[in-house]
Amino acid sequence: MKVKALTLAFLLATTVGYAQQQTANRYEQYLPIIEKGTLVQKDSLAKALLAEVKGYKTETDYHSTINILRSLDKENEMTIVENIAKKKYPKGAITRDAFITDVFYNAGTSTAKEKAYTELIKKWPVKNFSQEPLTYDYVLANLSQSFANDGNAQKAIHYLGEMKERFWRGNGYIPVGQILLKSGDTTTAAPLLKTAMDDSYYYLTLPEEQKDNKARFAAMGYASSMSAYVNILVAQKKFPEAVEYIENALKAAPEQADGLAMVYYKSLMGTGRKLEAYNILTKLYAKGQFAVEDDLKRLYTELNGSAQGYEQFNASLKTELTQNIRNHIKEMATFKPAPNFELLNLKGEKVSLASLKGKVVILDFWATWCQPCVRSFPGMKAAQESYANDKEVQFLFMNTWERDKNYKENVVSFITKNNYPFEVLYDDQKDPQTGKVMAAQYGVNGIPAKFIIDKEGNIRYFLTGSTPNVDYIKLEMKELIEAAKKPYKGL
């Protein structure tokens, strides 16, 4: 993730300086125009901000204005202010951030990245930006992953060791650990994953009065870091040790039980606690984790003495899942006209919502940098393929909120590399009245965001978030699409 693309809210939430608070107050002042202003109002505000620049006395003033202009989607004006600030403060944070984005992140090899990092800390030493260690940790994490991908574990570990923010370092340690695991280097990977797990556990178990935004952010990663480390123990057949870690975790964070369920049942099976493993498997299967079916059937047979009745039992679990999904999608139900659009696809062809009237349309707003979006794509691919012969259903993947100037090339590369048979539209056309892209017109505040539009052009369902569970996504999409095919009967 690029430093320039960090949200203002997150930066302010994880720092406490007076200058940052001033920036927050100024941003809040213009929030109504940023979020709901017309294009005329936004243009007027941008013009007024540019007129103020000549009177600025501190770099904080420039930084504040750049953030506001970025939120207004005024890239040209933002560049003007940025260039003025870079000339006035060549050793300042704005010039540094531009270097990170333009030089470090554009470096094509690990060696080039390392050279850029060396130049970065020479020109903009960490000690000169004591309130911004996270900026450097992002760079270090990226550099470490680059070396890990090259197979240079020694340098990857070295740069991970330079990270300063304990609450965030798991975001560097876990990806590097997973890269090393895939290459077969379990010995080097295990300590990294354990460190990430221990860090998350530390923040998770702090007294409530000590849990600030940093602590809460770190605690959210506990299930993923725990699963990554415990999977190593399971692979090494250290089942009792794995169970001990998991059960301590469940005591400290019972809300993360779902995230730990898969590795927990494997650990329980390894220790011979088959009935407990079976109970967890039953819950997993009833939530759409059909990959566990072989183990479920085997344990059912062992515990019951035969496979008699299994098919009926299996069918009851699927019925329960379907009913749970139906109950869940009721919470997503809405009814309002879908804003029309006419956007270009990857081939440069125009695609409009109006031209799809008579079809159920699934809009999936996503971005290449959005990991939850990417994690859901195998499931969305499976859902689309299940409707391949249904001429009344159309999936559209709305690429939005991209951060790089060459985003179109990045999108094509991403889709081609992953062999996704998606109809992708670029959500980069701004409304002439409001200056908003289509995501904003649909009320999207976070991605992934999916809309199910009926044959008459009305939004019937809206859902956010994602899961990597392919079977669940496929079932959920089926229920949503089939419900949207039916005439509207009210909420």
Side-chain angles (χ1 to χ4, degrees), residues 328-386:
H328 179 54
I329 67 174
K330 289 179 182 178
E331 301 171 5
M332 311 171 192
T334 185
F335 188 81
K336 56 184 177 181
N340 191 28
F341 57 78
E342 185 176 77
L343 301 171
L344 298 179
N345 63 15
L346 301 189
K347 299 177 182 178
E349 302 165 336
K350 291 181 180 179
V351 178
S352 69
L353 181 61
S355 69
L356 298 172
K357 190 172 183 179
K359 295 186 178 185
V360 172
V361 179
I362 300 90
L363 301 185
D364 188 346
F365 286 88
W366 69 286
T368 54
W369 51 263
C370 170
Q371 288 305 306
C373 303
V374 173
R375 283 198 299 269
S376 72
F377 272 8
M380 291 301 292
K381 179 182 178 182
Q384 177 175 294
E385 288 174 344
S386 69

Side-chain angles (χ1 to χ4, degrees), residues 32 194 202 212 348 383 395 469 482:
K194 186 175 185 304
Y202 165 77
D212 56 11
F395 286 76
N469 187 337
E482 294 304 317

Side-chain angles (χ1 to χ4, degrees), residues 178-448:
Q178 290 172 335
I179 291 168
L180 295 175
L181 277 181
K182 288 181 180 178
S183 69
D185 190 356
T186 303
T187 302
T188 308
L192 297 178
L193 297 172
K194 186 175 185 304
T195 297
M197 177 186 70
D198 290 343
D199 284 349
S200 291
Y201 184 78
Y202 165 77
Y203 286 105
L204 184 70
T205 55
L206 284 173
E208 282 301 317
E209 63 272 14
Q210 295 182 29
K211 289 184 179 179
D212 56 11
N213 286 323
K214 292 182 179 182
R216 293 185 182 92
F217 177 83
M220 286 192 300
Y222 188 50
S224 60
S225 57
M226 163 70 74
S227 294
Y229 180 68
V230 173
N231 268 317
I232 293 177
L233 298 179
V234 170
Q236 295 173 339
K237 300 188 183 303
K238 296 179 180 179
F239 300 115
E241 187 178 348
V243 168
E244 182 179 0
Y245 271 115
I246 294 170
E247 292 183 342
N248 285 337
L250 293 176
K251 290 177 184 177
E255 72 279 1
Q256 302 206 32
D258 286 349
L260 296 170
M262 191 71 74
V263 72
Y264 191 24
Y265 100 78
K266 293 178 182 178
S267 303
L268 289 171
M269 287 178 66
T271 57
R273 293 163 60 179
K274 294 182 179 179
L275 180 58
E276 293 169 87
Y278 173 77
N279 289 333
I280 292 175
L281 279 174
T282 300
K283 293 177 182 177
L284 283 169
Y285 195 80
K287 291 181 178 180
Q289 294 280 6
F290 297 148
V292 304
E293 183 166 5
D294 289 343
D295 283 341
L296 177 63
K297 186 174 184 178
R298 180 163 58 83
L299 276 179
Y300 178 96
T301 302
E302 287 184 23
L303 294 171
N304 290 281
S306 74
Q308 184 177 357
Y310 175 75
E311 295 305 324
Q312 184 178 354
F313 168 69
N314 182 293
S316 71
L317 292 179
K318 288 184 176 179
T319 299
E320 178 186 344
L321 171 61
T322 299
Q323 189 57 52
N324 288 338
I325 290 175
R326 288 174 180 172
N327 292 336
H328 179 54
I329 67 174
K330 289 179 182 178
E331 301 171 5
M332 311 171 192
T334 185
F335 188 81
K336 56 184 177 181
N340 191 28
F341 57 78
E342 185 176 77
L343 301 171
L344 298 179
N345 63 15
L346 301 189
K347 299 177 182 178
E349 302 165 336
K350 291 181 180 179
V351 178
S352 69
L353 181 61
S355 69
L356 298 172
K357 190 172 183 179
K359 295 186 178 185
V360 172
V361 179
I362 300 90
L363 301 185
D364 188 346
F365 286 88
W366 69 286
T368 54
W369 51 263
C370 170
Q371 288 305 306
C373 303
V374 173
R375 283 198 299 269
S376 72
F377 272 8
M380 291 301 292
K381 179 182 178 182
Q384 177 175 294
E385 288 174 344
S386 69
Y387 280 92
N389 297 320
D390 192 331
K391 303 303 181 184
E392 296 182 346
V393 176
Q394 176 68 55
F395 286 76
L396 295 176
F397 292 81
M398 314 285 278
N399 178 254
T400 193
W401 295 357
E402 290 292 351
R403 297 162 174 167
D404 296 329
K405 292 182 179 179
N406 59 335
Y407 66 92
K408 288 189 176 181
E409 292 86 346
N410 293 342
V411 170
V412 172
S413 175
F414 173 82
I415 294 296
T416 303
K417 177 182 177 182
N418 292 284
N419 196 30
Y420 286 131
F422 298 159
E423 174 76 304
V424 176
L425 305 185
Y426 293 113
D427 180 23
D428 56 4
Q429 302 301 307
K430 297 179 181 179
D431 182 88
Q433 298 299 317
T434 65
K436 294 180 177 179
V437 294
M438 194 53 57
Q441 294 180 56
Y442 271 77
V444 174
N445 293 314
I447 53 175

Side-chain angles (χ1 to χ4, degrees), residues 102-115:
D102 299 336
V103 180
F104 177 83
Y105 283 113
N106 283 327
T109 66
S110 299
T111 301
K113 282 181 180 288
E114 186 176 40
K115 181 180 178 181

Side-chain angles (χ1 to χ4, degrees), residues 43 53 128 174 219 326 357 418 462 464:
D43 287 343
V53 170
N128 292 353
I174 293 176
R326 288 174 180 172
K357 190 172 183 179
N418 292 284
F462 166 56
T464 59

